Amino acid sequence: MDAVDRLLLAELQADARLSYNELSRRVKLSAPAVAERVRRLEADGVITGYHAHVDPARAGLAVMALVTMQCYGPHCVLRDPEVTRWPEVFQLHRVTGGACCTLLVGVPGMIAFEQLIDRLAAYGQPASSMILSSPVPWHPVVAP
């Protein structure tokens, strides 16, 4: 990756809806050259998708939490591909330390959260931390 690729990534992370013409103006390359670079970044797996940033609370998910699971062996939550399709699970991370994994989850309210914890308990011992606020909810990746 060179400086132009990094600039393209910065522009696309700020607004993924930019046209190739607008991107070309901003990085000072022709639109076909920009399109070729973006396609290469996609093919190389640097760009993995284009997404809208949605505010969970405004989308009806008032309760956001990090759930740490202690589950090992054949009944581990990481071994069940179905869990990745649960609508409440936004992220699932395999982690080091005393826990097996950490999930970022979102639900409409505490009743739904309790039901989710009960579902997760079938895999091991869940421990949760409620998200009170997110001073840095997301920021762009800055390539070295």
Side-chain angles (χ1 to χ4, degrees), residues 30-143:
S30 69
V34 164
E36 172 67 26
R37 282 176 175 263
V38 170
R39 279 193 287 276
R40 190 187 77 244
L41 290 166
E42 292 168 343
D44 291 347
V46 177
I47 296 174
T48 59
Y50 298 89
H51 313 278
H53 290 279
V54 176
D55 182 311
R58 291 180 187 227
L61 302 174
V63 175
M64 298 294 294
L66 295 169
V67 179
T68 302
M69 293 292 298
Q70 291 195 18
C71 56
Y72 301 97
H75 297 292
C76 177
V77 71
L78 290 171
R79 297 188 192 281
D80 187 347
E82 197 62 34
V83 174
T84 63
R85 292 188 280 278
W86 291 3
E88 305 92 346
V89 176
F90 290 97
Q91 296 178 350
L92 174 58
H93 302 278
R94 185 176 181 192
V95 297
T96 61
C100 170
C101 60
T102 299
L103 300 89
L104 172 63
V105 301
V107 292
M110 290 308 292
I111 293 171
F113 184 69
E114 184 177 358
Q115 292 168 343
L116 177 61
I117 291 298
D118 289 345
R119 284 171 67 196
L120 287 169
Y123 296 94
Q125 183 178 356
S128 61
S129 296
M130 306 310 284
I131 297 174
L132 300 176
S133 66
S134 299
V136 182
W138 176 88
H139 68 81
V141 173
V142 180

Side-chain angles (χ1 to χ4, degrees), residues 12 15-19 50:
L12 286 171
D15 184 358
R17 296 173 57 170
L18 292 174
S19 68
Y50 298 89

